[in-house]
Amino acid sequence: MRIAHLTTVDMSLALLLATELEVDVAGGHEVFGISAPGRYVARVEALGVTHVGLPALTRSWNPRQDVAAFRELVRTLRSLHLDVLHTHNPKTGVMGRIAGRLAGIPVVVNTCHGLWARPQDRWRKRAFVYGAEAFAIRFSDYELFQNAADRDTLRRFLKPGRHEVVGNGVDLERFRPDPEGRRRVRAELGVGDDELLVGTIGRRVAEKGLVEFAEVAEQLGDRATFVWVGPEDGSDTHVSVPHEDAVRFLGERSDMAAVYSALDVFVLASHREGFSRASMEAAACGVAMVLTDIRGCREIGSHEVHVLSVPAADPQALMYAVQRLLDDPDVRGRLGRAARGRAIEEFDQREVAQTSLRSYDAVRRGGSRSRRRRAGVPA
């Protein structure tokens, strides 16, 4: 098959979908990655994938520019003569499902990596998000969800028998405890064997819990070193972060299994997640974790069994949970071992990728909806 995966930016193709792309290529399919071009294109193409750039595509919503990007997307899809279009990310998920049907692609599949509205958001935002998703669903053949909460939210809009909760996964061959990497990274950071290291991984944005993490680092900085690993994000330059100087910002790194292994405690203070990849990676590396009690983090494990869960946007609760792990190495060890065991059982990204391939085949065999190729006719 000729399969294309569509994301907003090339970073998503390289970091979030790499294993899925590898599985598609290994299966003998011709695979395309479609996104705005950037510095990750070489990493995408190193997987054996043909990258197709959409310069007009942006992550943020901009009506005028989005119209231009949509037209560019339809033209591009028509030129590729695809058998399958698999859309990802909120914006390209909506645009791509509609564009794929207009371009006459036989099979259009979408993965919901996390609804971009939370139950506590204002009704106008929720109405816009749920309305856009409900409309886009009409144009797809199959919907894949990373968590059941998002599936349940959209259930009344879904086509019977054309949706599935697939979870999420990571490359378990890459992410595993790395004692040598632990020693190397801690030596690089100047953190001794008898010292404690607390870290988080992700884009440097407020919704990842930047403010709360910095507050905890300020309160517990005499107990441990606090690091943030991940790229800056220009969309949050206006956000004021008190106590930011209590955190060491390391930027983006490629030796992530070693970085996770170097940590004594992994923290994710995120406000919104589809299904936290960083937490799965930390679990696979056997690190004790403190996660916010939100959809996309609850799926990582149970409170007190695999993780410690705290309310989102509550720096005091986050501080108490981190302090507990700093104080008790036995609890750190117990949670780390339990998290790794769960990762091995539940978080294999290659199985998620195989589920995607099975969904393509199921639609192709099913016929009726996937064969209605006349432009403008929703499946």
Side-chain angles (χ1 to χ4, degrees):
M1 293 184 287
R2 290 170 64 87
I3 302 170
H5 290 266
L6 171 66
T7 65
T8 314
V9 295
D10 57 337
M11 181 173 67
S12 296
L13 292 169
L15 301 185
L16 300 183
L17 299 178
T19 303
E20 188 153 355
L21 296 174
E22 287 179 336
V23 169
D24 289 354
V25 170
H29 306 292
E30 187 171 1
V31 184
F32 301 85
I34 307 174
S35 73
R39 61 192 181 93
Y40 292 89
V41 168
R43 290 175 63 171
V44 174
E45 293 186 333
L47 301 172
V49 174
T50 300
H51 183 266
V52 180
L54 294 178
L57 192 58
T58 61
R59 179 179 285 165
S60 59
W61 292 91
N62 181 314
R64 178 176 293 183
Q65 190 161 359
D66 290 344
V67 169
F70 183 79
R71 289 173 177 164
E72 183 180 37
L73 176 59
V74 173
R75 288 196 301 269
T76 298
L77 294 177
R78 284 175 173 160
S79 72
L80 292 176
H81 306 292
L82 299 171
D83 298 297
V84 176
L85 173 66
H86 193 152
T87 62
H88 307 264
N89 301 143
K91 182 174 175 178
T92 39
V94 172
M95 293 174 58
R97 279 174 278 184
I98 300 169
R101 189 60 62 217
L102 293 176
I105 297 173
V107 179
V108 178
V109 172
N110 176 68
T111 293
C112 177
H113 294 264
L115 287 173
W116 30 297
R118 300 169 296 169
Q120 63 268 38
D121 286 336
R122 286 183 289 187
W123 72 266
R124 284 190 179 89
K125 179 176 181 179
R126 286 184 283 119
F128 173 73
V129 170
Y130 300 158
E133 286 290 328
F135 183 68
I137 284 168
R138 297 181 62 227
F139 293 83
S140 74
D141 294 296
Y142 208 86
E143 296 286 321
L144 301 173
F145 291 88
Q146 291 193 339
N147 66 70
D150 288 339
R151 186 273 314 276
D152 293 343
T153 298
L154 297 176
R155 185 185 290 276
R156 65 185 181 277
F157 307 118
L158 297 170
K159 302 166 188 174
R162 293 298 183 104
H163 57 86
E164 183 176 355
V165 177
V166 296
N168 200 356
V170 296
D171 186 346
L172 294 177
E173 296 178 6
R174 176 187 176 197
F175 291 100
R176 58 176 63 196
D178 181 0
E180 178 55 38
R182 174 182 171 88
R183 288 189 289 271
R184 175 176 55 77
V185 171
R186 290 172 72 93
E188 176 187 331
L189 298 176
V191 177
D193 291 341
D194 58 343
E195 298 176 293
L196 295 168
L197 183 62
V198 179
T200 192
I201 315 295
R203 291 179 298 117
R204 193 170 164 180
V205 293
E207 74 167 16
K208 292 293 185 182
L210 176 58
V211 173
E212 295 87 349
F213 187 78
E215 175 67 27
V216 174
E218 172 67 17
Q219 294 187 58
L220 299 178
D222 60 335
R223 300 284 315 281
T225 298
F226 286 75
V227 297
W228 186 295
V229 181
E232 293 189 30
D233 190 308
S235 64
D236 260 10
T237 53
H238 63 285
V239 175
S240 175
V241 183
H243 312 303
E244 197 171 23
D245 58 353
V247 180
R248 292 177 61 177
F249 293 97
L250 305 184
E252 191 175 353
R253 297 181 63 118
S254 59
D255 57 339
M256 291 308 303
V259 171
Y260 286 113
S261 297
L263 301 177
D264 297 292
V265 178
F266 171 81
V267 175
L268 186 68
S270 192
H271 303 169
R272 181 185 72 84
E273 290 288 334
F275 198 130
S276 171
R277 177 173 296 272
S279 300
M280 287 187 291
E281 293 171 350
C285 291
V287 185
M289 295 181 285
V290 179
L291 311 180
T292 44
D293 186 17
I294 59 173
R295 69 183 182 197
C297 287
R298 296 188 191 106
E299 288 76 6
I300 301 300
S302 301
H303 177 57
E304 294 284 359
V305 178
H306 311 96
V307 305
L308 296 184
S309 299
V310 298
D314 188 338
Q316 205 62 17
L318 185 68
M319 187 274 292
Y320 286 133
V322 173
Q323 185 176 41
R324 179 183 170 192
L325 292 184
L326 294 179
D327 288 343
D328 196 330
D330 291 337
V331 174
R332 291 201 306 269
R334 173 175 62 80
L335 291 178
R337 289 189 295 273
R340 173 148 174 80
R342 179 166 170 77
I344 292 170
E345 292 178 2
E346 301 289 341
F347 302 148
D348 187 348
Q349 191 174 30
R350 295 183 184 277
E351 179 54 34
V352 175
Q354 291 294 342
T355 301
S356 294
L357 288 171
R358 288 193 291 269
S359 74
Y360 309 157
D361 286 337
V363 173
R364 284 158 63 91
R365 288 196 308 271
S368 59
R369 285 191 177 94
S370 64
R371 296 180 190 276
R372 296 175 64 185
R373 302 183 60 175
R374 181 166 56 85
V377 179

